[in-house]
Coordinates of all heavy atoms in Angstrom, one line a residue:
L3 N 125.1 232.2 -93.2 CA 126.5 232.0 -92.7 C 127.0 233.4 -92.3 O 127.2 234.2 -93.2 CB 127.3 231.3 -93.7 CG 128.8 231.1 -93.3 CD1 128.9 230.1 -92.1 CD2 129.6 230.6 -94.5
S5 N 129.7 235.8 -91.5 CA 131.1 235.7 -92.0 C 131.9 237.0 -91.8 O 131.3 238.1 -91.6 CB 130.9 235.4 -93.5 OG 132.1 235.7 -94.2
H6 N 133.2 236.8 -91.9 CA 134.1 237.9 -92.1 C 134.9 237.6 -93.4 O 135.3 236.5 -93.6 CB 135.1 238.1 -90.9 CG 136.1 239.2 -91.0 ND1 137.3 239.0 -91.6 CD2 136.0 240.5 -90.7 CE1 137.9 240.1 -91.6 NE2 137.2 241.1 -91.0
K7 N 135.2 238.6 -94.2 CA 135.7 238.4 -95.5 C 137.1 237.7 -95.5 O 137.4 237.0 -96.5 CB 135.8 239.7 -96.3 CG 134.4 240.2 -96.7 CD 134.5 241.5 -97.4 CE 133.1 242.1 -97.8 NZ 133.2 243.3 -98.5
L8 N 137.8 237.8 -94.5 CA 139.2 237.2 -94.4 C 139.3 236.0 -93.5 O 140.3 235.4 -93.5 CB 140.2 238.3 -94.0 CG 140.5 239.4 -94.9 CD1 141.5 240.4 -94.3 CD2 141.0 238.9 -96.3
C9 N 138.2 235.6 -92.8 CA 138.3 234.6 -91.8 C 138.5 233.2 -92.4 O 137.6 232.7 -93.2 CB 137.1 234.6 -90.9 SG 137.0 233.3 -89.7
P10 N 139.6 232.5 -92.1 CA 139.8 231.2 -92.7 C 138.8 230.1 -92.1 O 138.5 229.2 -92.8 CB 141.2 230.8 -92.3 CG 141.5 231.6 -91.1 CD 140.7 232.9 -91.3
Y11 N 138.3 230.4 -90.9 CA 137.4 229.4 -90.3 C 136.0 229.5 -91.0 O 135.3 228.5 -91.1 CB 137.3 229.7 -88.8 CG 138.6 229.4 -88.1 CD1 139.4 230.4 -87.8 CD2 139.0 228.1 -87.8 CE1 140.7 230.2 -87.2 CE2 140.2 227.8 -87.2 CZ 141.0 228.9 -86.9 OH 142.2 228.6 -86.3
V12 N 135.6 230.7 -91.5 CA 134.4 230.9 -92.3 C 134.6 230.1 -93.6 O 133.6 229.4 -94.0 CB 134.2 232.3 -92.6 CG1 133.1 232.5 -93.6 CG2 133.7 233.1 -91.3
Q13 N 135.8 230.1 -94.1 CA 136.0 229.4 -95.4 C 135.8 227.9 -95.2 O 135.3 227.2 -96.1 CB 137.4 229.7 -95.9 CG 137.7 231.1 -96.3 CD 139.2 231.3 -96.6 OE1 139.8 230.5 -97.2 NE2 139.7 232.5 -96.1
R14 N 136.2 227.4 -94.1 CA 135.9 226.0 -93.8 C 134.4 225.6 -94.0 O 134.1 224.7 -94.7 CB 136.3 225.6 -92.4 CG 137.8 225.5 -92.1 CD 138.0 225.0 -90.7 NE 139.4 225.0 -90.3 CZ 139.9 224.5 -89.2 NH1 139.1 223.8 -88.4 NH2 141.2 224.6 -88.9
A15 N 133.6 226.4 -93.3 CA 132.2 226.1 -93.4 C 131.6 226.3 -94.8 O 130.8 225.5 -95.3 CB 131.4 227.1 -92.4
A16 N 132.1 227.4 -95.5 CA 131.6 227.6 -96.8 C 132.0 226.5 -97.8 O 131.2 226.1 -98.6 CB 132.2 229.0 -97.3
I17 N 133.2 226.0 -97.6 CA 133.7 224.9 -98.5 C 132.8 223.7 -98.3 O 132.3 223.0 -99.3 CB 135.1 224.5 -98.2 CG1 136.0 225.7 -98.7 CG2 135.5 223.2 -98.9 CD1 137.5 225.5 -98.3
V18 N 132.4 223.3 -97.1 CA 131.6 222.2 -96.8 C 130.2 222.4 -97.5 O 129.6 221.5 -98.1 CB 131.4 221.9 -95.3 CG1 130.4 220.8 -95.0 CG2 132.8 221.5 -94.7
M19 N 129.6 223.6 -97.3 CA 128.3 223.9 -97.8 C 128.3 223.9 -99.3 O 127.4 223.4 -100.0 CB 127.8 225.2 -97.3 CG 127.7 225.2 -95.7 SD 127.2 226.7 -95.0 CE 125.5 226.7 -95.2
L20 N 129.4 224.4 -99.9 CA 129.5 224.4 -101.4 C 129.6 223.0 -101.9 O 129.1 222.6 -103.0 CB 130.7 225.3 -101.8 CG 130.4 226.8 -101.6 CD1 131.8 227.5 -101.6 CD2 129.5 227.4 -102.7
F26 N 122.8 228.8 -99.2 CA 123.0 229.6 -98.0 C 123.2 231.0 -98.4 O 123.6 231.3 -99.5 CB 124.1 229.1 -97.1 CG 125.5 229.2 -97.7 CD1 126.3 230.3 -97.4 CD2 126.0 228.2 -98.6 CE1 127.6 230.4 -97.9 CE2 127.2 228.3 -99.1 CZ 128.1 229.4 -98.8
R28 N 125.3 234.4 -97.3 CA 126.5 234.8 -96.6 C 126.3 236.3 -96.1 O 126.0 237.1 -96.9 CB 127.7 234.6 -97.4 CG 129.0 234.8 -96.7 CD 130.1 234.2 -97.5 NE 131.4 234.4 -96.9 CZ 132.5 233.8 -97.3 NH1 132.5 232.9 -98.2 NH2 133.7 234.0 -96.7
D30 N 128.4 239.2 -94.3 CA 129.7 239.6 -93.9 C 129.5 240.7 -92.8 O 128.7 241.6 -93.0 CB 130.5 240.2 -95.0 CG 131.0 239.1 -96.0 OD1 131.3 238.0 -95.5 OD2 131.0 239.3 -97.2
G147 N 139.9 220.8 -97.4 CA 139.3 222.1 -97.3 C 140.0 222.9 -96.2 O 140.3 224.1 -96.4
A150 N 143.4 223.9 -97.2 CA 143.4 224.9 -98.3 C 143.2 226.3 -97.7 O 143.8 227.2 -98.3 CB 142.2 224.6 -99.2
T151 N 142.5 226.4 -96.6 CA 142.3 227.8 -96.1 C 143.6 228.3 -95.5 O 143.8 229.6 -95.5 CB 141.3 227.8 -94.9 OG1 141.8 227.0 -93.8 CG2 139.9 227.2 -95.4
R154 N 146.0 229.1 -98.7 CA 145.5 230.3 -99.5 C 146.4 231.6 -99.1 O 146.7 232.4 -99.9 CB 144.1 230.6 -99.2 CG 143.5 231.6 -100.2 CD 142.1 232.0 -99.8 NE 141.1 231.0 -99.6 CZ 140.4 230.3 -100.5 NH1 140.6 230.6 -101.8 NH2 139.6 229.4 -100.2
M182 N 143.9 223.8 -104.2 CA 143.6 225.2 -104.5 C 142.8 225.4 -105.8 O 142.2 226.5 -106.1 CB 144.9 226.0 -104.5 CG 145.6 226.1 -103.2 SD 144.5 226.4 -101.7 CE 143.9 228.1 -102.1
R184 N 140.2 223.4 -106.5 CA 138.9 222.9 -106.3 C 137.9 224.0 -106.4 O 138.1 225.1 -105.7 CB 138.9 222.3 -104.9 CG 137.6 221.5 -104.6 CD 137.5 220.2 -105.2 NE 136.4 219.4 -104.8 CZ 136.1 218.2 -105.2 NH1 137.0 217.6 -106.1 NH2 135.1 217.5 -104.8
P185 N 136.8 223.9 -107.1 CA 135.8 225.0 -107.2 C 135.3 225.5 -105.9 O 135.1 226.7 -105.7 CB 134.7 224.3 -108.1 CG 135.4 223.3 -109.0 CD 136.5 222.8 -108.1
S186 N 135.0 224.6 -105.0 CA 134.5 225.0 -103.7 C 135.5 225.8 -102.9 O 135.1 226.8 -102.2 CB 134.1 223.8 -102.8 OG 135.2 223.0 -102.5
V187 N 136.8 225.5 -103.0 CA 137.8 226.3 -102.4 C 137.9 227.7 -103.0 O 138.1 228.7 -102.3 CB 139.2 225.5 -102.5 CG1 140.3 226.4 -102.0 CG2 139.1 224.2 -101.7
Q188 N 137.9 227.7 -104.3 CA 138.0 229.0 -105.0 C 136.7 229.9 -104.6 O 136.9 231.1 -104.5 CB 138.1 228.8 -106.5 CG 139.4 228.1 -106.9 CD 139.5 228.0 -108.4 OE1 138.6 228.3 -109.1 NE2 140.7 227.5 -108.8
A189 N 135.6 229.3 -104.5 CA 134.4 230.1 -104.3 C 134.1 230.4 -102.8 O 133.2 231.2 -102.5 CB 133.1 229.3 -104.8
A190 N 135.0 229.9 -102.0 CA 134.8 230.2 -100.5 C 135.3 231.6 -100.1 O 135.0 232.0 -99.0 CB 135.6 229.2 -99.7
V191 N 135.9 232.3 -101.1 CA 136.3 233.7 -100.8 C 135.8 234.6 -102.0 O 135.5 234.0 -103.1 CB 137.8 233.9 -100.7 CG1 138.3 233.2 -99.4 CG2 138.6 233.4 -101.9
S192 N 135.8 235.9 -101.8 CA 135.3 236.8 -102.9 C 136.5 237.0 -103.8 O 137.7 236.7 -103.5 CB 134.8 238.1 -102.3 OG 135.9 238.8 -101.8
E193 N 136.2 237.6 -105.0 CA 137.3 238.0 -105.9 C 138.2 239.1 -105.3 O 139.3 239.2 -105.8 CB 136.6 238.5 -107.2 CG 135.9 237.5 -108.0 CD 135.3 238.0 -109.3 OE1 135.5 239.3 -109.5 OE2 134.7 237.2 -110.1
Y195 N 139.3 239.0 -102.3 CA 140.1 238.5 -101.2 C 141.6 238.8 -101.3 O 142.2 239.3 -100.3 CB 139.9 237.0 -101.1 CG 140.7 236.3 -100.0 CD1 140.3 236.2 -98.7 CD2 142.0 235.8 -100.3 CE1 141.0 235.6 -97.7 CE2 142.8 235.2 -99.3 CZ 142.3 235.2 -98.0 OH 143.0 234.6 -97.0

Side-chain angles (χ1 to χ4, degrees):
L3 180 63
S5 164
H6 179 271
K7 291 180 179 179
L8 292 178
C9 178
Y11 296 98
V12 168
Q13 295 172 41
R14 288 189 187 187
I17 289 168
V18 175
M19 298 174 82
L20 289 163
F26 66 98
R28 188 162 178 165
D30 290 322
T151 66
R154 196 188 308 277
M182 296 314 295
R184 189 77 173 181
S186 63
V187 171
Q188 294 182 355
V191 295
S192 70
E193 292 181 358
Y195 177 88

